[in-house]
Amino acid sequence: MILEERRLTPVARVAAPTPGRYVLAFAAAAGGLAISFLFGAFPILVVLFSAVVLLLSFLSGARQDPYQRMMAYPLVIVLSMVLLINFGPITWTIAALVGCAVLGMTLGRGLRAARQGTEVLPDPPTDPLAVPGRTVATWAIGKDRFEEIDPEGEKLDELLAQLNGNFSALSLRRGSARLDAVGFAPDSVEVYVTDDVESAEWHRPLPAGQTMLGGQVTTVGSPDGQAKGESLRRAQVAARYFAVSGSRSRDVVWSASRRAD
């Protein structure tokens, strides 16, 4: 059984350029070179700058990282500025640079698509009931979902500390029990725990200074509000305990409630 973190959503595959795209890219490069020569650009400069742009745009187009693929655009701009400042009469060389950049990026995209191969769908999520005595952690970052079985306490602390608008929920399942931690900032983390996901009864931690007396929430001491980072610390304590026991931590005061969807 795989215990380390695994991705539940497929990796988006880049589509290879169509034959028409290749034709247009080659036409752009050839047209740019032709325009440069027709308007009196120096052939040596045209060939030199165009070769540099073609090579580096190809390398950047083949990269998986989208930020690294962007390197071709500032390159064309910088070289164009060099030409405009120092070689005013041959600024038509810019047409060749742009055409070669388009061709290089298209060829690089084709190589990137060939390296990725066909899309492979990951295995379905683990059913917590099929792994008794194990804790299944799932979380989502944007549209990507991830899973890990029996995560370490340090991993849970790290995930909870990263709660924000893009990653706003962490779920732990151990048998029929479940813990959900949700929030949009580390200082406003809400935790819900239930012993049975089929039950409507959930429990959530109470802030420091509050306790349960006779089924009612009672404030103990001065209600100065919640200390900074307190909700995150409670969530980390609760998640660590739940991950090894599947139940609520005794170090946290819990209130019984019905979780709102």
Side-chain angles (χ1 to χ4, degrees):
M1 178 180 296
I2 299 176
L3 300 182
E4 63 267 18
E5 176 182 319
R6 71 184 184 97
R7 187 188 184 100
L8 297 178
T9 47
V11 178
R13 298 295 178 178
V14 61
T18 62
R21 179 74 175 270
Y22 279 114
V23 171
L24 291 175
F26 277 102
L33 290 169
I35 290 173
S36 299
F37 293 140
L38 286 174
F39 283 88
F42 297 136
I44 294 178
L45 287 176
V46 172
V47 173
L48 177 61
F49 280 98
S50 297
V52 171
V53 169
L54 178 62
L55 175 61
L56 294 184
S57 61
F58 168 75
L59 294 176
S60 63
R63 303 294 296 178
Q64 299 290 345
D65 189 335
Y67 294 103
Q68 294 179 358
R69 291 200 299 272
M70 294 292 290
M71 64 178 288
Y73 300 106
L75 171 68
V76 173
I77 294 174
V78 169
L79 292 180
S80 298
M81 292 301 296
V82 171
L83 291 172
L84 286 170
I85 294 172
N86 298 289
F87 304 98
I90 61 165
T91 53
W92 283 105
T93 305
I94 296 174
L97 299 184
V98 174
C100 287
V102 171
L103 176 59
M105 292 293 286
T106 301
L107 295 174
R109 181 187 179 93
L111 177 61
R112 180 159 45 97
R115 284 177 175 173
Q116 284 187 331
T118 58
E119 185 175 41
V120 178
L121 296 178
D123 294 330
T126 302
D127 181 359
L129 298 179
V131 285
R134 302 278 191 175
T135 296
V136 181
T138 56
W139 65 94
I141 299 177
K143 296 181 179 179
D144 298 324
R145 297 182 64 243
F146 301 88
E147 173 189 279
E148 184 169 343
I149 298 178
D150 290 337
E152 298 288 340
E154 292 78 6
K155 178 67 172 288
L156 294 175
D157 289 348
E158 178 183 347
L159 288 172
L160 289 169
Q162 293 175 1
L163 288 174
N164 55 45
N166 192 44
F167 161 45
S168 59
L170 168 67
S171 180
L172 303 179
R173 285 287 308 274
R174 193 175 179 92
S176 59
R178 176 170 174 169
L179 178 147
D180 287 344
V182 297
F184 293 93
D187 287 338
S188 59
V189 182
E190 293 287 342
V191 176
Y192 300 89
V193 179
T194 182
D195 297 327
D196 186 353
V197 292
E198 299 297 330
S199 170
E201 184 179 75
W202 289 75
H203 296 79
R204 64 182 182 87
L206 290 176
Q210 293 186 351
T211 187
M212 293 292 297
L213 289 177
Q216 299 293 324
V217 177
T218 302
T219 300
V220 179
S222 176
D224 295 329
Q226 180 170 275
K228 182 177 181 180
E230 180 187 339
S231 67
L232 173 59
R233 288 190 290 271
R234 287 200 314 270
Q236 291 172 335
V237 170
R240 278 176 172 260
Y241 191 87
F242 184 92
V244 297
S245 67
S247 58
R248 300 187 299 276
S249 170
R250 296 184 178 89
D251 294 327
V252 176
V253 181
W254 299 88
S255 67
S257 65
R258 289 176 178 269
R259 178 181 172 183
D261 294 332

